[in-house]
């Protein structure tokens, strides 16, 4: 990873885990373990945990984010939360377009684009998730799929806004399955995304873009993945729920 060009970002995606009390416990366990991190440390928590997690992380190097937001500021959207609401409660980051949202909750490239736009407008940092299904990899169309997902999500995003976007390449077949992409596979797709950013915005923008890998990243495989030149961090699901495991990944990114 080229730290002179871009900081590593290790983000936990807690998914639908932890009550507010449990969130505070986990954040408090994490604080001493990651306090000397030489990378950005983020925890993306369930909506109901945001307030407690933000309070617990105050004054530390742990940043707190959410896992989704709606594109409208307010209105008749039962069950949704707007980007403005996240900002108002003190969230700094939001994950957009996670494959579980796409597969289980009907998110698609166009809604991902709208959510991204809204999050940027609200002053949030976006962790934009892209990634192929196993069948798509087997058909040899991984690069095309990821390029299209990225291109649509970034429609209307200006170059100067890119500093507020992180892209997370997450092959769907590697999420929560224990199957990790090899370091070479991860780097190949991350590089294809960086090449797309160069095409769309220029080489300087591509060099500055933080592109994570996600999908069964853990304490055992993080170092090899993070050593790849185009892997600038990780989006961590399962291994973010245990302070010790997560802190080992943070330590690997800090080397
Ligand atoms: P996992 O999840 O680390 O449990 O595979 C990653 C993610 O879904 O972001």
């Amino acid at each position: 990873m080229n730290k002179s060009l871009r900081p590593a970002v290790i983000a936990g995606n807690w998914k639908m885990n932890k009550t507010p009390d449990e969130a505070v416990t986990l954040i408090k366990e994490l604080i001493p373990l990651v306090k000397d991190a030489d990378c950005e440390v983020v925890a993306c928590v369930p909506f109901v945990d945001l307030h407690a997690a933000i309070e617990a992380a105050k004054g530390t190097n742990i940043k707190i984010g959410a896992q989704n937001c709606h594109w409208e500021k307010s209105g008749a959207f039962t069950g949704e939360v707007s980007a403005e609401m996240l900002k108002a409660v003190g969230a700094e980051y939001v994950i957009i377009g996670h494959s579980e949202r796409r597969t289980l909750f009907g998110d698609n490239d166009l809604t991902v684009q709208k959510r991204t736009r809204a999050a940027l407008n609200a002053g949030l940092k976006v962790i934009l998730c892209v990634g192929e299904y196993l069948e798509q990899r087997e058909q040899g169309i991984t690069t095309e799929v990821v390029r299209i997902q990225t291109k649509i999500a970034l429609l209307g995003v200006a170059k100067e806004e890119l500093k507020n976007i992180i892209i997370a390449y997450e092959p769907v077949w590697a999420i929560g399955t224990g199957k990790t992409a090899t370091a070479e596979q991860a780097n190949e797709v991350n590089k294809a995304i960086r090449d797309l950013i160069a095409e769309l915005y220029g080489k300087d923008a591509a060099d500055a873009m933080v592109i994570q890998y996600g999908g069964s990243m853990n304490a055992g495989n993080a170092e090899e993945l993070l050593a790849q030149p185009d892997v600038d961090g990780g989006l961590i699901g399962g291994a973010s729920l245990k302070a010790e495991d997560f802190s080992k990944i943070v330590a690997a990114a800090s080397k």
Side-chain angles (χ1 to χ4, degrees):
M1 139 187 35
N2 197 333
K3 287 194 190 169
S4 60
L5 296 174
R6 42 191 185 258
V9 180
I10 299 295
N13 172 12
W14 290 10
K15 308 194 180 185
M16 197 174 74
N17 292 290
K18 306 288 178 188
T19 64
D21 283 352
E22 290 167 347
V24 170
T25 302
L26 179 50
I27 298 282
K28 287 196 170 152
E29 283 169 7
L30 266 180
I31 290 170
L33 297 175
V34 303
K35 69 178 189 343
D36 298 321
D38 188 18
C39 65
E40 183 119 347
V41 181
V42 184
C44 294
V45 307
F47 290 135
V48 294
D49 294 350
L50 279 169
H51 180 70
I54 288 163
E55 287 299 313
K58 219 165 235 169
T60 77
N61 59 336
I62 301 174
K63 310 270 166 55
I64 303 298
Q67 301 169 11
N68 186 31
C69 68
H70 196 265
W71 52 87
E72 294 292 346
K73 287 191 166 79
S74 61
F77 303 100
T78 303
E80 290 288 320
V81 169
S82 73
E84 279 73 15
M85 290 168 176
L86 297 179
K87 184 71 183 174
V89 86
E92 288 184 58
Y93 282 83
V94 62
I95 297 173
I96 306 270
H98 190 277
S99 72
E100 285 150 19
R101 300 291 327 163
R102 295 179 191 252
T103 316
L104 304 172
F105 302 105
D107 227 355
N108 59 52
D109 289 340
L110 292 175
T111 57
V112 167
Q113 189 260 332
K114 293 206 270 186
R115 293 181 207 279
T116 301
R117 183 66 266 157
L120 293 174
N121 288 350
L124 294 169
K125 292 190 176 169
V126 171
I127 299 177
L128 167 66
C129 299
V130 296
E132 82 287 5
Y133 290 103
L134 183 59
E135 303 77 51
Q136 294 170 323
R137 174 162 285 273
E138 286 168 353
Q139 287 159 358
I141 57 170
T142 297
T143 305
E144 284 91 334
V145 168
V146 167
R147 278 178 61 98
I148 286 280
Q149 290 174 336
T150 308
K151 214 166 173 174
I152 295 176
L154 295 180
L155 280 176
V157 172
K159 184 172 181 175
E160 54 276 14
E161 293 179 299
L162 289 182
K163 60 179 183 305
N164 291 323
I165 296 191
I166 291 169
I167 298 174
Y169 165 55
E170 297 207 306
V172 181
W173 48 271
I175 295 176
T177 57
K179 276 190 216 156
T180 321
T182 64
E184 293 69 30
Q185 285 171 328
N187 196 66
E188 193 185 3
V189 182
N190 279 33
K191 176 159 189 321
I193 295 169
R194 198 175 309 285
D195 290 346
L196 172 66
I197 300 298
E199 273 172 41
L200 296 174
Y201 295 99
K203 185 172 181 308
D204 54 331
D207 283 344
M209 190 83 212
V210 176
I211 307 179
Q212 299 172 319
Y213 167 79
S216 300
M217 194 188 264
N218 59 42
N221 59 27
E223 192 161 343
E224 196 192 350
L225 286 159
L226 293 168
Q228 296 297 311
D230 286 296
V231 178
D232 310 316
L235 183 57
I236 325 294
S240 71
L241 297 173
K242 293 209 175 92
E244 199 156 325
D245 292 352
F246 188 67
S247 69
K248 283 184 187 151
I249 301 172
V250 169
S254 301
K255 283 190 179 157

